[in-house]
Structure formats: structure tokens, C-alpha cells
Amino acid sequence: ETSLAALRSEAGQVVSFVAQFIDVTEAREAAAALHHAATHDPLTLLGNRRGLSEELGRVLGQIPRTGTRTGLLALDLDGLKPINDRFGHAAGDQVLVTVGTRLRAAVRRDDPIARVGGDEFVVVLVGVHNDEQVAHLAEKIRRELSEVIIVDDVPVQVTVSIGAVVAGADEDAASVLARADG
């Protein structure tokens, strides 16, 4: 940060300046770290519900200006509880991390992904063309997540239920999420 002040004579004439420079790097890094912690899931490193709300609001806010369409996938893992019961919660966490990694690999880098609950995820598909593209991406994700995951040297499998919608031009984040979840 920089501040600059003029020093004046008794007659009001500017005679010199005083400049002050302050390094705010640490403060900005700390603020960024706090924001990241508040908007990301510590287990999967994906966004969390708060981060999703921010990202989805930003993306939906661009629709009227750009005319682009946005898809939303609400995912609910099936079969995580039996894995937790059989192998423990650390194994369930391993499955959640693997699911997060597979979701990230299945979509574009700019498509926000969030873990919004214990076994619930949301994928925002930015700039989709039509309903068929959203359905195609949902099927791709379903196939990716149905692949076997190795937990403690034992293959396990989860399936996923997916709600898929395309946001309307005047729709807000809450209504889009509610439709996808339904």
C-alpha cells in the first residue's frame, strides 16, 4: 500500500511530499487463506456449500450479459454408508477424495465442483449448449464414478444418483439447486 501527503509552508505552498510504503503481502495472503478455508471442503479440496453459492451466483449473473447457458448436476453417492460401516470412516473419506478427483477429471477446469454434504456433490457446467450436452456429461460422470475404487486393497464400488438441469435466464442459485436436487 502506498500513501502520499503534501507538506505545505505557512503560506500554503507545497514544499515537499511524504510517501509511505507498507508491504501488505502477508495480510493479503492470510485473508486469501481464510477465504479459501471458508469456501472449500478440507477433505476433497473442492468447493463447499458457501463456495458453491458464490460461484453459482457469479456464473448465473453472467447469463443475461453473455447469453450462455449453465447446467447443474446434483450428485448423491449411493453405497457410501456400507463402506463406512465395513472399513471405517477413513476408508469412506478415501472414497470421497477419489470421487472428487474423478469429478475434476470429468469436467472442464472452469466448471465449479463442490462437496455440499456428506456424500453430496454439485457440478456447475458453464457454457453448455443444450440439454443433451448436460445429459451426456451426467452420463460420463456416472460411468467414471461407477469404476471400482480400491480401499485397503479391496475393490469397492459406489453408484451415483444425478439430478441434471439447465438454468433459466431469470433463475437464482437457490431455485436451480432445488430443481437439480429434486
Side-chain angles (χ1 to χ4, degrees):
E1 286 182 358
T2 305
S3 62
L4 184 65
L7 296 178
R8 299 181 185 275
S9 68
E10 288 181 15
Q13 299 282 332
V14 175
V15 292
S16 64
F17 293 93
V18 174
Q20 180 179 13
F21 302 94
I22 300 172
D23 183 355
V24 295
T25 303
E26 286 183 23
R28 292 212 176 153
E29 287 173 348
L34 283 172
H35 184 265
H36 187 272
T39 58
H40 286 78
D41 174 48
L43 178 65
T44 62
L45 304 180
L46 299 172
N48 61 16
R49 186 175 298 278
R50 179 178 176 186
L52 172 69
S53 180
E54 288 179 13
E55 283 293 306
L56 188 54
R58 181 187 60 77
V59 170
L60 292 177
Q62 294 175 351
I63 291 175
R65 185 173 43 83
T66 63
T68 60
R69 299 184 78 191
T70 300
L72 193 86
L73 304 177
L75 295 85
D76 192 0
L77 295 183
D78 307 316
L80 186 62
K81 185 180 180 338
I83 292 169
N84 281 334
D85 291 347
R86 179 174 176 197
F87 299 102
H89 288 281
D93 288 351
Q94 182 182 342
V95 169
L96 292 169
V97 169
T98 301
V99 166
T101 301
R102 289 181 182 179
L103 286 173
R104 176 57 46 222
V107 298
R108 297 166 296 193
R109 185 177 58 206
D110 295 337
D111 291 337
I113 304 172
R115 179 175 170 227
V116 296
D119 62 353
E120 297 175 11
F121 295 82
V122 172
V123 179
V124 180
L125 303 169
V126 180
V128 294
H129 300 292
N130 52 44
D131 295 350
E132 290 76 25
Q133 184 181 11
V134 173
H136 172 76
L137 289 167
E139 177 58 23
K140 177 182 177 185
I141 287 171
R142 188 200 60 74
R143 281 192 317 270
E144 291 282 332
L145 297 184
S146 69
E147 294 290 322
V148 168
I149 298 171
I150 304 300
V151 174
D152 294 337
D153 296 324
V154 177
V156 298
Q157 197 162 18
V158 294
T159 57
V160 63
S161 301
I162 304 175
V165 299
V166 174
D170 58 348
E171 220 170 351
D172 66 5
S175 64
V176 175
L177 280 168
R179 280 197 313 120
D181 197 41

